[in-house]
Amino acid sequence: MVRHQPLQYYEPQLCLSCLTGIYGCRWKRYQRSHDDTTPWERLWFLLLTFTFGLTLTWLYFWWEVHNDYDEFNWYLYNRMGYWSDWSVPILMTTAAAFTYIAGLQVLALCHIAVGQQMNLHWLHKISSALLKPSL
């Protein structure tokens, strides 16, 4: 009986698989790369960092303006003609967007720390470009 030896043994690297899978949807080992990050991906990282800063500023603004929620609602009531508390949905949407962008930022910084090539998934690129608050 002939026993076959495996040619190579790969360690699972579950943390790295989750990191590259969530950030860039590259779940397989052969899809990961230690090559240099492309200039376009560096540009997307800068856009992500800029979006993170804007979203943080927008969240801070809506968090600190809590004394003026009533004034904001009265302004909208006079414009639209019906009363609705718009401050809570705006604050919740802003908090959700900040959490999403902060998570992507942490994943990008982890990619830099472990030396993996950054390859942001196209869905994250579109959502991070759309989540920039208009100040």
Side-chain angles (χ1 to χ4, degrees), residues 42-77:
R42 289 182 184 157
L43 183 67
W44 276 108
F45 176 72
L46 289 176
L47 179 70
L48 184 68
T49 305
F50 181 69
T51 304
F52 174 77
L54 284 179
T55 310
L56 177 64
T57 306
W58 189 250
L59 179 65
Y60 177 74
F61 169 76
W62 276 103
W63 190 263
E64 288 299 318
V65 78
H66 61 83
N67 290 334
D68 295 326
Y69 285 164
D70 196 40
E71 294 294 325
F72 178 68
N73 290 329
W74 272 108
Y75 172 76
L76 290 177
Y77 172 73

CSV table of all heavy atoms in Angstrom, one decimal, residues 42-77:
chain,number,residue,atom,x,y,z
A,42,ARG,N,-5.3,53.0,-2.7
A,42,ARG,CA,-4.8,54.0,-1.8
A,42,ARG,C,-5.7,55.2,-1.8
A,42,ARG,O,-6.0,55.9,-0.8
A,42,ARG,CB,-3.4,54.4,-2.1
A,42,ARG,CG,-2.4,53.3,-1.7
A,42,ARG,CD,-1.0,53.8,-2.0
A,42,ARG,NE,-0.1,52.6,-1.7
A,42,ARG,CZ,1.1,52.5,-2.2
A,42,ARG,NH1,1.6,53.4,-3.0
A,42,ARG,NH2,1.8,51.5,-1.9
A,43,LEU,N,-6.2,55.6,-3.0
A,43,LEU,CA,-7.1,56.7,-3.2
A,43,LEU,C,-8.4,56.4,-2.5
A,43,LEU,O,-9.0,57.3,-1.9
A,43,LEU,CB,-7.3,57.0,-4.7
A,43,LEU,CG,-8.2,58.2,-5.0
A,43,LEU,CD1,-7.5,59.5,-4.5
A,43,LEU,CD2,-8.5,58.3,-6.5
A,44,TRP,N,-8.9,55.2,-2.7
A,44,TRP,CA,-10.1,54.8,-2.0
A,44,TRP,C,-9.9,54.8,-0.5
A,44,TRP,O,-10.9,55.1,0.3
A,44,TRP,CB,-10.6,53.4,-2.4
A,44,TRP,CG,-11.4,53.5,-3.7
A,44,TRP,CD1,-11.0,53.1,-4.9
A,44,TRP,CD2,-12.7,54.0,-3.9
A,44,TRP,NE1,-12.0,53.3,-5.8
A,44,TRP,CE2,-13.0,53.9,-5.2
A,44,TRP,CE3,-13.6,54.6,-3.0
A,44,TRP,CZ2,-14.2,54.3,-5.7
A,44,TRP,CZ3,-14.8,55.0,-3.5
A,44,TRP,CH2,-15.1,54.9,-4.8
A,45,PHE,N,-8.7,54.4,0.0
A,45,PHE,CA,-8.5,54.5,1.5
A,45,PHE,C,-8.5,56.0,1.9
A,45,PHE,O,-9.1,56.3,3.0
A,45,PHE,CB,-7.1,53.9,1.8
A,45,PHE,CG,-6.7,54.0,3.2
A,45,PHE,CD1,-7.4,53.3,4.2
A,45,PHE,CD2,-5.8,54.9,3.6
A,45,PHE,CE1,-7.1,53.4,5.5
A,45,PHE,CE2,-5.4,55.0,5.0
A,45,PHE,CZ,-6.1,54.3,5.9
A,46,LEU,N,-8.0,56.9,1.2
A,46,LEU,CA,-8.1,58.3,1.5
A,46,LEU,C,-9.5,58.8,1.5
A,46,LEU,O,-9.9,59.6,2.4
A,46,LEU,CB,-7.2,59.1,0.6
A,46,LEU,CG,-5.7,59.0,0.7
A,46,LEU,CD1,-5.0,59.8,-0.3
A,46,LEU,CD2,-5.3,59.4,2.1
A,47,LEU,N,-10.3,58.4,0.5
A,47,LEU,CA,-11.7,58.7,0.5
A,47,LEU,C,-12.5,58.1,1.7
A,47,LEU,O,-13.3,58.8,2.3
A,47,LEU,CB,-12.4,58.2,-0.8
A,47,LEU,CG,-13.9,58.5,-1.0
A,47,LEU,CD1,-14.0,60.0,-1.2
A,47,LEU,CD2,-14.4,57.8,-2.1
A,48,LEU,N,-12.1,56.9,2.0
A,48,LEU,CA,-12.7,56.3,3.2
A,48,LEU,C,-12.4,57.1,4.5
A,48,LEU,O,-13.2,57.3,5.3
A,48,LEU,CB,-12.3,54.9,3.3
A,48,LEU,CG,-12.9,54.0,4.4
A,48,LEU,CD1,-14.4,53.8,4.2
A,48,LEU,CD2,-12.2,52.7,4.5
A,49,THR,N,-11.1,57.5,4.6
A,49,THR,CA,-10.7,58.3,5.7
A,49,THR,C,-11.4,59.6,5.8
A,49,THR,O,-11.8,60.1,6.8
A,49,THR,CB,-9.2,58.5,5.7
A,49,THR,OG1,-8.5,57.2,5.6
A,49,THR,CG2,-8.7,59.2,6.9
A,50,PHE,N,-11.5,60.3,4.6
A,50,PHE,CA,-12.2,61.6,4.5
A,50,PHE,C,-13.7,61.4,4.9
A,50,PHE,O,-14.3,62.2,5.6
A,50,PHE,CB,-12.1,62.1,3.1
A,50,PHE,CG,-12.8,63.4,2.9
A,50,PHE,CD1,-12.3,64.6,3.5
A,50,PHE,CD2,-13.9,63.5,2.1
A,50,PHE,CE1,-12.9,65.8,3.3
A,50,PHE,CE2,-14.5,64.7,1.9
A,50,PHE,CZ,-14.0,65.9,2.5
A,51,THR,N,-14.3,60.3,4.4
A,51,THR,CA,-15.7,60.0,4.8
A,51,THR,C,-15.9,59.8,6.3
A,51,THR,O,-16.8,60.2,6.9
A,51,THR,CB,-16.2,58.8,3.9
A,51,THR,OG1,-16.1,59.1,2.6
A,51,THR,CG2,-17.7,58.6,4.2
A,52,PHE,N,-14.9,59.1,6.8
A,52,PHE,CA,-14.9,58.8,8.3
A,52,PHE,C,-14.9,60.1,9.0
A,52,PHE,O,-15.7,60.3,10.0
A,52,PHE,CB,-13.7,57.9,8.7
A,52,PHE,CG,-13.6,57.7,10.1
A,52,PHE,CD1,-14.4,56.9,10.8
A,52,PHE,CD2,-12.6,58.4,10.8
A,52,PHE,CE1,-14.3,56.7,12.2
A,52,PHE,CE2,-12.5,58.2,12.2
A,52,PHE,CZ,-13.3,57.4,12.9
A,53,GLY,N,-14.0,61.0,8.6
A,53,GLY,CA,-13.9,62.3,9.3
A,53,GLY,C,-15.2,63.2,9.2
A,53,GLY,O,-15.7,63.8,10.2
A,54,LEU,N,-15.8,63.2,8.0
A,54,LEU,CA,-17.0,63.9,7.8
A,54,LEU,C,-18.2,63.3,8.6
A,54,LEU,O,-19.0,64.0,9.2
A,54,LEU,CB,-17.4,64.0,6.3
A,54,LEU,CG,-16.6,64.9,5.4
A,54,LEU,CD1,-17.1,64.8,4.0
A,54,LEU,CD2,-16.8,66.4,5.9
A,55,THR,N,-18.3,62.0,8.6
A,55,THR,CA,-19.3,61.3,9.3
A,55,THR,C,-19.2,61.5,10.8
A,55,THR,O,-20.2,61.7,11.5
A,55,THR,CB,-19.4,59.8,9.0
A,55,THR,OG1,-19.4,59.7,7.6
A,55,THR,CG2,-20.6,59.2,9.5
A,56,LEU,N,-17.9,61.5,11.3
A,56,LEU,CA,-17.7,61.8,12.7
A,56,LEU,C,-18.1,63.2,13.1
A,56,LEU,O,-18.8,63.4,14.1
A,56,LEU,CB,-16.2,61.6,13.0
A,56,LEU,CG,-15.8,61.9,14.5
A,56,LEU,CD1,-16.5,60.9,15.4
A,56,LEU,CD2,-14.3,61.8,14.6
A,57,THR,N,-17.8,64.2,12.2
A,57,THR,CA,-18.2,65.5,12.4
A,57,THR,C,-19.7,65.7,12.4
A,57,THR,O,-20.3,66.4,13.3
A,57,THR,CB,-17.6,66.5,11.4
A,57,THR,OG1,-16.2,66.3,11.4
A,57,THR,CG2,-17.9,67.9,11.6
A,58,TRP,N,-20.4,65.0,11.5
A,58,TRP,CA,-21.8,65.1,11.3
A,58,TRP,C,-22.5,64.4,12.6
A,58,TRP,O,-23.5,65.0,13.1
A,58,TRP,CB,-22.2,64.4,10.0
A,58,TRP,CG,-23.7,64.5,9.7
A,58,TRP,CD1,-24.6,63.6,9.7
A,58,TRP,CD2,-24.3,65.7,9.2
A,58,TRP,NE1,-25.8,64.0,9.2
A,58,TRP,CE2,-25.6,65.4,8.9
A,58,TRP,CE3,-23.9,67.0,8.9
A,58,TRP,CZ2,-26.6,66.3,8.5
A,58,TRP,CZ3,-24.8,67.9,8.5
A,58,TRP,CH2,-26.1,67.6,8.2
A,59,LEU,N,-22.0,63.3,13.0
A,59,LEU,CA,-22.5,62.7,14.2
A,59,LEU,C,-22.3,63.6,15.4
A,59,LEU,O,-23.2,63.7,16.3
A,59,LEU,CB,-21.8,61.3,14.4
A,59,LEU,CG,-22.3,60.5,15.7
A,59,LEU,CD1,-23.8,60.1,15.5
A,59,LEU,CD2,-21.5,59.3,15.9
A,60,TYR,N,-21.2,64.2,15.6
A,60,TYR,CA,-20.9,65.1,16.7
A,60,TYR,C,-21.9,66.2,16.7
A,60,TYR,O,-22.4,66.6,17.7
A,60,TYR,CB,-19.5,65.5,16.7
A,60,TYR,CG,-19.2,66.5,17.8
A,60,TYR,CD1,-19.0,66.1,19.1
A,60,TYR,CD2,-19.0,67.9,17.5
A,60,TYR,CE1,-18.8,67.0,20.1
A,60,TYR,CE2,-18.8,68.8,18.5
A,60,TYR,CZ,-18.6,68.3,19.8
A,60,TYR,OH,-18.4,69.2,20.8
A,61,PHE,N,-22.1,66.8,15.5
A,61,PHE,CA,-23.0,67.9,15.4
A,61,PHE,C,-24.4,67.5,15.8
A,61,PHE,O,-25.1,68.2,16.6
A,61,PHE,CB,-23.1,68.4,13.9
A,61,PHE,CG,-24.2,69.3,13.6
A,61,PHE,CD1,-24.1,70.7,14.0
A,61,PHE,CD2,-25.3,68.9,12.9
A,61,PHE,CE1,-25.2,71.5,13.8
A,61,PHE,CE2,-26.4,69.8,12.7
A,61,PHE,CZ,-26.3,71.1,13.1
A,62,TRP,N,-24.9,66.4,15.3
A,62,TRP,CA,-26.3,65.9,15.7
A,62,TRP,C,-26.4,65.5,17.1
A,62,TRP,O,-27.4,65.5,17.7
A,62,TRP,CB,-26.8,64.9,14.8
A,62,TRP,CG,-27.3,65.5,13.5
A,62,TRP,CD1,-26.8,65.5,12.3
A,62,TRP,CD2,-28.6,66.2,13.4
A,62,TRP,NE1,-27.5,66.2,11.4
A,62,TRP,CE2,-28.7,66.6,12.1
A,62,TRP,CE3,-29.6,66.5,14.3
A,62,TRP,CZ2,-29.8,67.4,11.6
A,62,TRP,CZ3,-30.7,67.2,13.8
A,62,TRP,CH2,-30.8,67.6,12.5
A,63,TRP,N,-25.3,65.0,17.7
A,63,TRP,CA,-25.3,64.6,19.1
A,63,TRP,C,-25.3,65.9,20.0
A,63,TRP,O,-26.0,65.9,21.0
A,63,TRP,CB,-24.0,63.8,19.4
A,63,TRP,CG,-24.1,63.2,20.7
A,63,TRP,CD1,-23.5,63.6,21.9
A,63,TRP,CD2,-24.7,61.9,21.1
A,63,TRP,NE1,-23.8,62.8,22.9
A,63,TRP,CE2,-24.5,61.7,22.5
A,63,TRP,CE3,-25.4,61.0,20.4
A,63,TRP,CZ2,-25.0,60.6,23.1
A,63,TRP,CZ3,-25.9,59.9,21.0
A,63,TRP,CH2,-25.7,59.7,22.4
A,64,GLU,N,-24.6,66.9,19.6
A,64,GLU,CA,-24.5,68.1,20.5
A,64,GLU,C,-25.7,69.1,20.3
A,64,GLU,O,-25.9,69.9,21.1
A,64,GLU,CB,-23.2,68.9,20.2
A,64,GLU,CG,-22.0,68.2,20.8
A,64,GLU,CD,-22.1,68.0,22.3
A,64,GLU,OE1,-22.5,69.0,22.9
A,64,GLU,OE2,-21.8,66.9,22.7
A,65,VAL,N,-26.5,68.9,19.2
A,65,VAL,CA,-27.6,69.8,18.9
A,65,VAL,C,-28.9,69.4,19.6
A,65,VAL,O,-29.9,69.9,19.3
A,65,VAL,CB,-27.7,70.0,17.4
A,65,VAL,CG1,-28.5,68.9,16.8
A,65,VAL,CG2,-28.4,71.3,17.1
A,66,HIS,N,-28.8,68.4,20.5
A,66,HIS,CA,-29.9,67.8,21.1
A,66,HIS,C,-30.8,68.9,21.8
A,66,HIS,O,-32.0,68.6,22.0
A,66,HIS,CB,-29.6,66.7,22.1
A,66,HIS,CG,-28.7,67.1,23.2
A,66,HIS,ND1,-29.2,67.7,24.4
A,66,HIS,CD2,-27.4,67.1,23.4
A,66,HIS,CE1,-28.2,67.9,25.2
A,66,HIS,NE2,-27.1,67.6,24.6
A,67,ASN,N,-30.3,70.0,22.2
A,67,ASN,CA,-31.1,71.1,22.8
A,67,ASN,C,-32.0,71.8,21.8
A,67,ASN,O,-33.0,72.4,22.1
A,67,ASN,CB,-30.3,72.1,23.5
A,67,ASN,CG,-29.6,71.6,24.8
A,67,ASN,OD1,-30.2,70.6,25.4
A,67,ASN,ND2,-28.5,72.1,25.2
A,68,ASP,N,-31.6,71.7,20.5
A,68,ASP,CA,-32.3,72.3,19.5
A,68,ASP,C,-33.2,71.4,18.6
A,68,ASP,O,-33.6,71.8,17.5
A,68,ASP,CB,-31.4,73.1,18.6
A,68,ASP,CG,-30.7,74.2,19.3
A,68,ASP,OD1,-31.4,74.8,20.2
A,68,ASP,OD2,-29.5,74.5,19.0
A,69,TYR,N,-33.4,70.2,19.0
A,69,TYR,CA,-34.2,69.2,18.3
A,69,TYR,C,-35.6,69.8,18.1
A,69,TYR,O,-36.2,69.7,17.0
A,69,TYR,CB,-34.3,67.9,19.0
A,69,TYR,CG,-33.1,67.0,18.9
A,69,TYR,CD1,-33.0,65.9,19.7
A,69,TYR,CD2,-32.1,67.3,17.9
A,69,TYR,CE1,-31.9,65.1,19.6
A,69,TYR,CE2,-31.0,66.4,17.9
A,69,TYR,CZ,-30.9,65.4,18.7
A,69,TYR,OH,-29.8,64.6,18.7
A,70,ASP,N,-36.2,70.4,19.1
A,70,ASP,CA,-37.5,71.0,19.0
A,70,ASP,C,-37.6,72.1,18.0
A,70,ASP,O,-38.5,72.2,17.2
A,70,ASP,CB,-38.0,71.5,20.4
A,70,ASP,CG,-39.5,71.7,20.5
A,70,ASP,OD1,-40.2,70.8,19.9
A,70,ASP,OD2,-39.9,72.7,21.1
A,71,GLU,N,-36.6,72.9,18.0
A,71,GLU,CA,-36.5,74.0,17.0
A,71,GLU,C,-36.5,73.5,15.6
A,71,GLU,O,-37.1,74.0,14.6
A,71,GLU,CB,-35.4,74.9,17.2
A,71,GLU,CG,-35.4,75.7,18.5
A,71,GLU,CD,-36.6,76.7,18.5
A,71,GLU,OE1,-36.8,77.3,17.4
A,71,GLU,OE2,-37.2,76.9,19.6
A,72,PHE,N,-35.7,72.4,15.4
A,72,PHE,CA,-35.6,71.8,14.1
A,72,PHE,C,-36.9,71.2,13.7
A,72,PHE,O,-37.3,71.3,12.5
A,72,PHE,CB,-34.5,70.7,14.1
A,72,PHE,CG,-34.3,69.9,12.9
A,72,PHE,CD1,-33.8,70.5,11.7
A,72,PHE,CD2,-34.7,68.6,12.8
A,72,PHE,CE1,-33.6,69.8,10.6
A,72,PHE,CE2,-34.5,67.9,11.6
A,72,PHE,CZ,-34.0,68.5,10.5
A,73,ASN,N,-37.6,70.5,14.6
A,73,ASN,CA,-38.9,69.9,14.3
A,73,ASN,C,-39.9,71.0,14.0
A,73,ASN,O,-40.8,70.8,13.1
A,73,ASN,CB,-39.3,69.0,15.4
A,73,ASN,CG,-38.5,67.8,15.5
A,73,ASN,OD1,-38.0,67.3,14.5
A,73,ASN,ND2,-38.3,67.3,16.7
A,74,TRP,N,-39.9,72.1,14.7
A,74,TRP,CA,-40.8,73.2,14.4
A,74,TRP,C,-40.5,73.8,13.0
A,74,TRP,O,-41.5,74.2,12.3
A,74,TRP,CB,-40.7,74.3,15.4
A,74,TRP,CG,-41.6,74.1,16.6
A,74,TRP,CD1,-41.3,73.8,17.8
A,74,TRP,CD2,-43.1,74.2,16.6
A,74,TRP,NE1,-42.4,73.6,18.6
A,74,TRP,CE2,-43.5,73.9,17.9
A,74,TRP,CE3,-44.0,74.5,15.6
A,74,TRP,CZ2,-44.8,73.9,18.2
A,74,TRP,CZ3,-45.3,74.5,16.0
A,74,TRP,CH2,-45.7,74.2,17.2
A,75,TYR,N,-39.3,73.9,12.7
A,75,TYR,CA,-38.9,74.4,11.3
A,75,TYR,C,-39.5,73.5,10.2
A,75,TYR,O,-40.1,74.0,9.3
A,75,TYR,CB,-37.4,74.5,11.2
A,75,TYR,CG,-36.9,74.9,9.8
A,75,TYR,CD1,-37.1,76.1,9.3
A,75,TYR,CD2,-36.4,73.9,9.0
A,75,TYR,CE1,-36.6,76.4,8.0
A,75,TYR,CE2,-36.0,74.2,7.7
A,75,TYR,CZ,-36.1,75.4,7.2
A,75,TYR,OH,-35.7,75.7,5.9
A,76,LEU,N,-39.3,72.2,10.4
A,76,LEU,CA,-39.9,71.3,9.4
A,76,LEU,C,-41.4,71.3,9.4
A,76,LEU,O,-42.0,71.1,8.4
A,76,LEU,CB,-39.3,69.9,9.7
A,76,LEU,CG,-37.9,69.7,9.4
A,76,LEU,CD1,-37.4,68.3,9.8
A,76,LEU,CD2,-37.6,69.9,7.9
A,77,TYR,N,-42.0,71.5,10.6
A,77,TYR,CA,-43.5,71.5,10.7
A,77,TYR,C,-44.0,72.7,9.9
A,77,TYR,O,-45.0,72.6,9.2
A,77,TYR,CB,-43.9,71.6,12.1
A,77,TYR,CG,-45.4,71.9,12.3
A,77,TYR,CD1,-46.3,70.9,12.1
A,77,TYR,CD2,-45.9,73.2,12.7
A,77,TYR,CE1,-47.7,71.1,12.2
A,77,TYR,CE2,-47.2,73.4,12.8
A,77,TYR,CZ,-48.1,72.4,12.6
A,77,TYR,OH,-49.5,72.7,12.7
